[in-house]
Amino acid sequence: MDLIHAKFALLTAFVLLGLLGLAISALTDLRAFRPLPGRVSPGMLWLPAWCASYLLAWLFSEDRFASLWGLTGRRNGLALFACCTACYLLTRLFCPAGLYQGLCRLFTGCSCLIALLGILNAWGLDPLGTYYSLLPDNGSLYLSTIGNLNFFAAYLCLCLPLAVQTAFHARSGRSRAGVVLCCVVLLTGLLMASTDAAWLSLAVMLAVVFCDRRLTWHGARLLFAIGAIFCAVAFLTGIFLNFFPLRMPLRTVSAVLVKPFVCLPIGALLLFLFFISPRLKKTPCKPARLLFGGLLLLLLCGFLVRNLFGLSLGPLDSFFWLRSGWGSNRWDVWDVLVRRYAKLPLLQKLVGVGADGVDALLNPYYTQALITLNGYTFDSAHNEYLQHLLCGGLLGLVCWCGFLFTHIRSAFRRVPFLATALIGYAVQAFFSITTPMLIVPVCLLAAFSAAPAEQQPITLDRWYFFLGSTLLFPALVVMWMPFYKTIHSPFWVPEWMVFVCYLLDSRLTACYNKTNT
């Protein structure tokens, strides 16, 4: 319980500092809080419209308390979505774009520490003394400070492209080598999480990066180095598994990657490409598009052959055959929820049943059937898009998809790796649950994706306004998490804490002033 009490103390500090920052900003000239040039555009209305759709859903919800605050343990209610919207608007309108590089470095460092802790947890070591002491029966389902291993893997997937971008922009060889090691640690964390959705997300992100015409062989060389080192780590992990068993055995893709006949050939190929890439003149775009296009065609053919023509693919049936039990029983839950949505009144089809309202649609009507099938019932769709369709209605789903599409398109022109991170999140969201650990960074990063690449000095007025908002926002969100009941809490607070320390560094302002001059 020490960790929980420490987080509550951190929460109190955030509240006090946030109120102090807002008080200082109120003493300054409020007229100076004008949006930065080029920040106001129609694309910024998607998220407020999404929040408004959940407000309508809350007005017509049967359980307004749950719709406002969300279920205990996640708190994905209207209040969280409103704060995410406020954070997005404040960051987009008032935060200088130059802070994005600093934010990427902070996400890289913090996610590396989180991944290291998760790796230790996977090997049965618990330095924080939290998961295995509080949860002796199912502690293996929790990794690091994120919580559930699915959320842990999703968080690492979101941070990995930012870490790669930090490596690309490193100013010295030593710094680049350090960031490369951070990337390897993040990949090792994904290996320990053993979630198929994370590996699928990683494959899509690799396809996006390599199919981009702006990627040169010199840049691809860095990715080859990261991959080769990770293959060596996977090989060593496979050896260690013979002597030191993991608390939770590796599954599916992770279990295959640690096999010597898999990781060694892939590592040798990546090492070969690393040494030969300086001699190649053309970009890797065309061969990458042929490779990933062929893989996509094979996947589509596999799904068509198994589901339309009924031809067995042997051991691959578990992946390609869409039937009961597919996706850890997600297919069954999706089937039930789609039928439930079809029976909803027209108004609820448009505006939804309210945030976190899937639990009321499933339980108690299908509780026993789900327990028989899965061992326990579901309280979420395990598909964020289906969740938005049910909870926020058709209006909420359209607004959320429009928000993601608009900012991915905007980021792809300005910051390609940020667009890659958002694409990775969009892929993994198809199998995941909306959590504060993910939706808050996604909204924050989306705000930076729309920012032009100006280097504007931070004025004192805007400085304290943004500082106060940054401190107060996470404090308010963390207050809703039941620290004394469950371990599911917004563990992205350390990133915010370091981000605030970064903002307080006076050298940052001097750097912007010098650049502007």
Side-chain angles (χ1 to χ4, degrees):
M1 302 297 289
D2 293 338
L3 177 63
I4 298 176
H5 293 310
K7 289 184 178 296
F8 184 77
L10 179 63
L11 162 67
T12 306
F14 267 124
V15 172
L16 295 177
L17 290 175
L19 293 176
L20 177 62
L22 291 179
I24 294 176
S25 65
L27 297 177
T28 62
D29 187 6
L30 295 178
R31 292 175 297 179
F33 300 147
R34 294 188 299 270
L36 294 172
R39 297 300 181 88
V40 180
S41 67
M44 65 181 293
L45 299 178
W46 282 114
L47 200 62
W50 172 71
C51 187
S53 70
Y54 273 94
L55 177 60
L56 291 176
W58 174 75
L59 293 175
F60 296 100
S61 175
E62 296 180 359
D63 188 351
R64 291 191 176 183
F65 181 84
S67 180
L68 178 62
W69 301 107
L71 297 178
T72 301
R74 285 202 301 269
R75 298 302 185 188
N76 298 322
L78 173 62
L80 174 64
F81 298 158
C83 280
C84 287
T85 304
C87 174
Y88 164 79
L89 292 175
L90 287 172
T91 305
R92 175 173 178 133
L93 295 176
F94 299 106
C95 184
L99 287 179
Y100 170 70
Q101 294 298 333
L103 184 64
C104 287
R105 290 192 290 269
L106 292 172
F107 266 107
T108 300
C110 292
S111 61
C112 182
L113 295 176
I114 289 173
L116 281 173
L117 184 58
I119 295 170
L120 293 176
N121 292 158
W123 288 103
L125 303 176
D126 190 14
L128 298 181
T130 302
Y131 295 111
Y132 306 145
S133 58
L134 291 179
L135 305 168
D137 297 329
N138 59 351
S140 58
L141 297 177
Y142 297 86
L143 289 175
S144 190
T145 58
I146 298 298
N148 187 279
L149 55 87
N150 294 304
F151 307 153
F152 171 75
Y155 182 82
L156 296 187
C157 281
L158 184 66
C159 296
L160 186 57
L162 306 180
V164 173
Q165 176 178 325
T166 304
F168 269 92
H169 294 162
R171 297 181 179 180
S172 65
R174 181 177 298 180
S175 300
R176 183 174 289 106
V179 179
V180 166
L181 291 179
C182 288
C183 295
V184 174
V185 170
L186 295 181
L187 289 173
T188 307
L190 291 180
L191 185 70
M192 298 303 170
S194 298
T195 59
D196 293 340
W199 291 116
L200 177 62
S201 176
L202 179 62
V204 173
M205 291 190 294
L206 284 175
V208 171
V209 171
F210 276 95
C211 293
D212 190 354
R213 296 178 180 178
R214 290 167 289 186
L215 181 68
T216 63
W217 282 110
H218 179 73
R221 193 166 184 255
L222 180 64
L223 299 177
F224 295 147
I226 295 173
I229 299 174
F230 169 68
C231 288
V233 173
F235 174 71
L236 294 176
T237 302
I239 295 178
F240 289 157
L241 285 176
N242 297 323
F243 307 97
F244 309 101
L246 289 173
R247 185 172 178 85
M248 185 174 185
L250 298 181
R251 302 171 297 159
T252 59
V253 178
S254 296
V256 173
L257 283 177
V258 298
K259 302 295 183 182
F261 61 85
V262 175
C263 59
L264 289 181
I266 295 177
L269 176 61
L270 293 174
L271 199 60
F272 171 75
L273 292 174
F274 174 79
F275 287 108
I276 200 177
S277 55
R279 303 179 183 179
L280 303 177
K281 296 182 180 180
K282 295 183 179 180
T283 62
C285 173
K286 289 186 178 180
R289 291 184 178 183
L290 290 175
L291 174 63
F292 289 108
L295 292 176
L296 179 60
L297 183 61
L298 288 176
L299 289 175
L300 292 177
C301 290
F303 276 105
L304 293 176
V305 167
R306 189 62 191 89
N307 294 282
L308 293 184
F309 301 102
L311 299 178
S312 176
L313 299 177
L316 296 178
D317 278 349
S318 60
F319 177 77
F320 289 103
W321 193 5
L322 302 178
R323 58 172 179 171
S324 177
W326 184 85
S328 300
N329 301 314
R330 284 176 172 84
W331 186 260
D332 302 274
V333 178
W334 296 348
D335 178 65
V336 169
L337 290 176
V338 168
R339 288 189 277 111
R340 289 284 290 164
Y341 177 78
K343 297 178 181 179
L344 291 177
L346 179 60
L347 180 62
Q348 288 190 322
K349 286 183 179 179
L350 293 177
V351 301
V353 298
D356 258 356
V358 171
D359 179 60
L361 295 177
L362 288 175
N363 302 302
Y365 310 104
Y366 300 93
T367 303
Q368 189 57 48
L370 292 174
I371 292 177
T372 303
L373 177 69
N374 194 58
Y376 54 87
T377 187
F378 285 77
D379 58 6
S380 174
H382 286 268
N383 182 318
E384 293 190 32
Y385 304 105
L386 182 57
Q387 183 93 3
H388 289 313
L389 176 64
L390 293 164
C391 298
L394 183 62
L395 177 61
L397 177 63
V398 170
C399 291
W400 183 249
C401 292
F403 167 76
L404 289 178
F405 175 79
T406 301
H407 290 81
I408 288 174
R409 181 182 179 185
S410 176
F412 196 76
R413 294 195 301 263
R414 296 181 174 93
V415 195
F417 281 102
L418 177 53
T420 304
L422 295 177
I423 291 173
Y425 163 78
V427 172
Q428 191 149 261
F430 196 79
F431 307 93
S432 186
I433 299 174
T434 303
T435 60
M437 293 84 73
L438 291 177
I439 191 173
V440 176
V442 165
C443 293
L444 176 67
L445 294 174
F448 278 104
S449 71
E454 84 273 3
Q455 295 288 337
Q456 180 173 345
I458 304 175
T459 62
L460 183 63
D461 300 331
R462 186 176 292 118
W463 176 275
Y464 281 105
F465 178 76
F466 180 69
L467 173 61
S469 303
T470 303
L471 287 167
L472 186 61
F473 169 72
L476 292 176
V477 176
V478 179
M479 286 181 65
W480 306 327
M481 311 310 293
F483 289 95
Y484 55 90
K485 291 183 179 180
T486 178
I487 204 165
H488 294 85
S489 55
F491 287 99
W492 38 263
V493 172
E495 287 82 358
W496 283 97
M497 181 175 62
V498 182
F499 187 31
V500 170
C501 295
Y502 182 81
L503 284 173
L504 291 174
D505 190 349
S506 59
R507 292 175 297 177
L508 181 65
T509 307
C511 177
Y512 282 125
N513 290 331
K514 183 177 180 181
T515 304
N516 188 61
T517 304

